[in-house]
Amino acid sequence: MSTETMNKDILRGGQFLVKETKAEDVFTPEDFSEEQKMMRDSAKEFVDRELWAHWERFENKDYAYTEECMRKAGELGLLGVSVPEAYDGLGMGFVSTMLVCDYISGATGSFSTAFGAHTGIGTMPITLYGNEEQKKKYVPKLATGEWFGAYCLTEPGAGSDANSGKTKAVLSEDGTHYLISGQKMWISNAGFCSIFIVFARIEDDKNITGFIVENDPANGISLADEEKKLGIHSSSTRQVFFSDTKVPVENMLSERGNGFKIAMNALNVGRIKLAAACLDAQRRVIGEATKYANERIQFKTPIMNFGAIKSKIAEMVTNTYADESASYRAAKNIEDRISIRQAEGNTHQEAELKGVEEYAIECSILKVAVSEDVQNCTDEGIQIFGGMGFSADTPMESAWRDARISRIYEGTNEINRMLAVGMLVKKAMKGHVDLLGPAMKVADELTGIPSFDTPDYSELFAEEKEILSKLKKVFLMVAGSAVQKFGPELEEHQQLLMAASDILIEIYMAESTILRTEKNAKRFGEDSQQIQIAMSQLYLYNAVDIVIKKGKEAVVSFAQGDEQRMMLMGLKRFTKYTNQPNVVALRTKIADKVAAENGYCFS
């Protein structure tokens, strides 16, 4: 595919809202190559053998076993999937790195955290921001698991406000090294890492600076005890103290004052990888819950036969299918954007940084949506198991506890909700996404006379796609009016931003789900996709309800009088079905298929 063709076909980040995406242009899990399927199977085999079979060891705070499994993952090459071959990695594309992150993360949050912290924020800052000497010295050891990495950003007074850290870096009199002093907390892998990526402030710089710091206790580095946590029990999480720790000047990462940029870009990658890390957890919970529901007899019948259980299973499965669809759609967009930039002469570092940054909105959307779905999935998993679900003898309660951190990691979901809309508005102001034109058209439509023609919905998803286009109008109506009313001060109206963000999230997730199913129906036949069609319709139905609730919440909070009445009428018009789906029938159809297969069967 030529660069020109790729540029034309690939939407920029956020443009899904204002430009049509064709089903054939999205990447789906059904598009995995043979090599990617082999990587997936290799990761699953490792997880089943080393992690799932020993999940109790992770619950019993067996930190040594987590480290042992990390070393085994390194021997299999799983720690170096995204690392270029020049530094002893596998040099695989972004989709493949997502795939490994997905399937290696489903058994236990303890290992998932260790893996994510090492391969992401422990290794990636050096790969993407390090100079050649730094990469040659450190990355091969990290890629093979000879060394492990950790990331020191958070401090007692610097969490979401990452640039407010107090850790200091003072240049020595002879100019050969910096002396770092300060306290970092919630540091994953601290107990067994070889190097830290440390962020500190030089003098009174506006922004923090990144450093590569080797873990040497004799060099003013000390650790607090392991934190006592709700979940991820065998993830080593400790406070790290630096007291005049000597760091050679050549270990500064990138440039002075560039640390905040490094931290933010690392979070963009971390957000979409976190979404991937929540996928297989859902599949495994669904598998365990389905097996239990098929085997558990009450009132002389398996509880899977009861509508209440079918409803839960169907919703869990539908959300997982949607999460897969959106995650891999965005991953391939990022991979293609990286390829375009490399074809244009960018280095691997520049291409990957800019490729991910382009889709920062989608990364935040996915982080929120999938982390909340995994929490709901594990919660319903406990409910299906009943009293046994509450027992530590089954893996449900640990899955629920492990899932909880995902809504806090990589920027809280509240931060990410506000970021998604904030970044979209900034893109619009830079001219990267035309929001103003479509928003004005929606405003004109509100005062116009609606069409009363009977549409032709004979084609698959004809009505669903029309509803999707109308949901986009709801967002443009709400966000457009809010921007007009509040201007630059919109970021101070956090509740409005969060309501608008929930609308944006549902649009992206529902569209991704429908496009995946439409693409597969076209190439495999509609008959083969009947359950996927049901899931797409069910997801959209639920999404419409959320859009109605959040749209109304926003409108009644910032509009008054005639403007409010007009916007509420628009909300009603833009969320109206011509043919309401039979929700109970959809859920029953989905649950019956999963029951027959005894687990999740759509990837």
Side-chain angles (χ1 to χ4, degrees):
M1 188 187 290
S2 71
T3 303
E4 184 183 348
T5 306
M6 288 174 72
N7 264 313
K8 185 177 67 177
D9 290 344
I10 301 170
L11 296 185
R12 298 193 68 160
Q15 284 187 332
F16 70 89
L17 190 66
V18 292
K19 289 192 175 183
E20 182 185 1
T21 303
K22 294 178 180 175
E24 51 267 31
D25 292 337
V26 298
F27 182 86
T28 77
E30 292 73 28
D31 292 310
F32 291 146
S33 66
E34 288 306 311
E35 182 185 46
Q36 286 169 333
K37 289 175 185 174
M38 285 172 62
M39 286 299 298
R40 176 193 65 191
D41 294 344
S42 177
K44 283 173 71 174
E45 184 184 341
F46 169 77
V47 170
D48 287 336
R49 183 182 68 248
E50 305 292 347
L51 310 182
W52 189 244
H54 305 286
W55 66 268
E56 287 128 318
R57 294 185 70 171
F58 294 101
E59 290 316 298
N60 293 329
K61 302 183 180 180
D62 192 340
Y63 301 106
Y65 190 63
T66 299
E67 184 179 353
E68 180 186 328
C69 290
M70 284 287 288
R71 295 205 184 281
K72 288 178 179 177
E75 291 165 7
L76 292 170
L78 294 170
L79 301 181
V81 178
S82 63
V83 173
E85 292 179 70
Y87 309 106
D88 292 353
L90 299 182
M92 302 188 83
F94 199 84
V95 171
S96 297
T97 69
M98 281 279 286
L99 190 60
V100 171
C101 186
D102 172 354
Y103 282 91
I104 209 166
S105 300
T108 165
S110 296
F111 181 85
S112 174
T113 298
F115 177 86
H118 170 76
T119 58
I121 51 182
T123 304
M124 185 180 57
I126 308 176
T127 309
L128 297 184
Y129 285 98
N131 58 40
E132 195 58 29
E133 290 74 23
Q134 290 168 344
K135 286 189 285 187
K136 283 180 177 175
K137 182 176 181 180
Y138 294 112
V139 175
K141 292 179 178 179
L142 294 167
T144 57
E146 181 184 345
W147 281 18
F148 295 117
Y151 181 84
C152 296
L153 177 64
T154 304
E155 298 182 14
S160 296
D161 185 7
N163 202 35
S164 65
K166 299 288 190 282
T167 296
K168 287 286 184 184
V170 178
L171 187 63
S172 63
E173 288 185 11
D174 62 5
T176 61
H177 59 269
Y178 283 92
L179 294 170
I180 293 182
S181 296
Q183 174 185 1
K184 299 291 183 176
M185 65 190 303
W186 309 124
I187 308 306
S188 297
N189 295 354
F192 61 87
C193 74
S194 312
I195 62 167
F196 297 105
I197 307 295
V198 181
F199 295 90
R201 195 175 310 279
I202 301 172
E203 296 175 345
D204 293 322
D205 287 359
K206 178 184 176 183
N207 291 323
I208 51 181
T209 299
F211 296 89
I212 304 168
V213 182
E214 294 185 23
N215 186 5
D216 178 5
N219 186 21
I221 299 174
S222 58
L223 307 177
D225 292 339
E226 290 286 355
E227 297 285 355
K228 297 177 175 65
K229 308 183 296 289
L230 172 70
I232 55 172
H233 280 171
S234 288
S235 161
S236 176
T237 313
R238 301 170 80 163
Q239 291 189 60
V240 183
F241 301 91
F242 299 97
S243 179
D244 287 337
T245 300
K246 292 176 69 172
V247 182
V249 290
E250 58 266 27
N251 275 29
M252 180 187 286
L253 194 56
S254 185
E255 301 166 3
R256 177 172 173 172
N258 219 21
F260 186 62
K261 186 177 180 181
I262 295 171
M264 292 304 99
N265 281 326
L267 286 172
N268 284 336
V269 182
R271 282 163 185 155
I272 189 169
K273 292 286 181 71
L274 182 81
C278 293
L279 293 175
D280 200 48
Q282 292 183 77
R283 297 188 200 103
R284 286 178 182 268
V285 166
I286 290 164
E288 294 300 304
T290 303
K291 288 170 194 166
Y292 185 82
N294 275 334
E295 294 167 5
R296 174 68 168 167
I297 306 296
Q298 289 291 279
F299 307 103
K300 299 181 181 179
T301 186
I303 63 171
M304 179 57 93
N305 292 338
F306 296 121
I309 301 297
K310 289 184 180 186
S311 174
K312 292 180 187 301
I313 292 287
E315 296 287 351
M316 293 156 73
V317 170
T318 295
N319 288 339
T320 305
Y321 179 77
D323 293 344
E324 286 178 344
S325 307
S327 295
Y328 285 105
R329 173 191 184 183
K332 188 62 163 70
N333 285 154
I334 291 170
E335 184 174 289
D336 288 343
R337 185 64 63 182
I338 291 169
S339 297
I340 289 169
R341 285 192 165 271
Q342 285 181 314
E344 291 172 345
N346 284 182
T347 64
H348 167 264
Q349 291 166 288
E350 293 168 333
E352 183 140 335
L353 281 168
K354 291 295 183 184
V356 175
E357 190 179 356
E358 177 65 52
Y359 295 96
I361 294 165
E362 287 80 356
C363 290
S364 281
I365 285 172
L366 288 164
K367 193 275 178 184
V368 173
V370 188
S371 68
E372 292 183 359
D373 283 343
V374 74
Q375 185 79 73
N376 292 334
C377 183
T378 55
D379 193 70
E380 292 288 40
I382 288 177
Q383 199 70 13
I384 290 167
F385 268 68
M388 285 304 296
F390 202 71
S391 168
D393 291 335
T394 64
M396 280 298 162
E397 64 93 32
S398 62
W400 182 85
R401 287 186 288 97
D402 283 357
R404 186 59 185 86
I405 189 62
S406 60
R407 287 158 57 196
I408 299 170
Y409 273 161
E410 312 295 355
T412 67
N413 283 12
E414 290 72 25
I415 290 282
N416 275 285
R417 277 183 162 89
M418 291 182 282
L419 271 175
V421 178
M423 288 187 290
L424 185 60
V425 171
K426 283 178 184 172
K427 276 202 162 203
M429 288 176 175
K430 289 179 182 176
H432 294 171
V433 179
D434 178 18
L435 286 185
L436 185 60
M440 289 177 70
K441 284 183 182 177
V442 174
D444 291 340
E445 190 176 339
L446 288 176
T447 58
I449 300 170
S451 169
F452 294 101
D453 294 343
T454 304
D456 176 13
Y457 292 139
S458 55
E459 274 192 31
L460 176 65
F461 291 139
E463 180 168 9
E464 286 80 6
K465 288 167 89 171
E466 183 183 292
I467 289 170
L468 262 176
S469 70
K470 291 192 291 188
L471 295 186
K472 293 177 183 182
K473 291 178 182 179
V474 174
F475 179 85
L476 291 166
M477 176 182 75
V478 169
S481 298
V483 169
Q484 198 172 22
K485 191 173 291 282
F486 301 113
E489 295 175 3
L490 178 61
E491 63 184 30
E492 296 172 18
H493 298 267
Q494 292 189 351
Q495 293 186 57
L496 289 181
L497 282 174
M498 288 172 69
S501 182
D502 280 343
I503 298 170
L504 187 67
I505 289 166
E506 291 307 322
I507 290 167
Y508 188 71
M509 301 302 290
E511 181 177 75
S512 301
T513 308
I514 287 168
L515 290 174
R516 173 187 180 181
T517 304
E518 183 187 6
K519 181 177 185 179
N520 290 332
K522 284 179 178 177
R523 58 181 168 176
F524 305 134
E526 277 189 40
D527 287 347
S528 72
Q529 301 294 303
Q530 287 303 302
I531 309 303
Q532 290 89 333
I533 291 168
M535 287 191 288
S536 302
Q537 291 171 334
L538 178 61
Y539 192 93
L540 180 64
Y541 176 85
N542 290 336
V544 168
D545 269 0
I546 292 168
V547 171
I548 291 169
K549 182 176 186 292
K550 294 299 178 176
K552 182 180 177 184
E553 178 186 317
V555 169
V556 300
S557 298
F558 74 79
Q560 295 176 326
D562 289 342
E563 181 191 21
Q564 184 188 97
R565 281 189 288 274
M566 185 172 65
M567 290 177 74
L568 289 175
M569 284 173 64
L571 177 63
K572 189 172 182 180
R573 188 198 309 176
F574 295 148
T575 53
K576 184 181 178 183
Y577 273 92
T578 300
N579 303 291
Q580 292 279 358
N582 182 333
V583 178
V584 170
L586 291 176
R587 289 194 192 120
T588 301
K589 189 175 188 178
I590 297 161
D592 286 350
K593 172 65 173 176
V594 175
E597 298 288 340
N598 217 22
Y600 188 84
C601 51
F602 304 103
S603 60

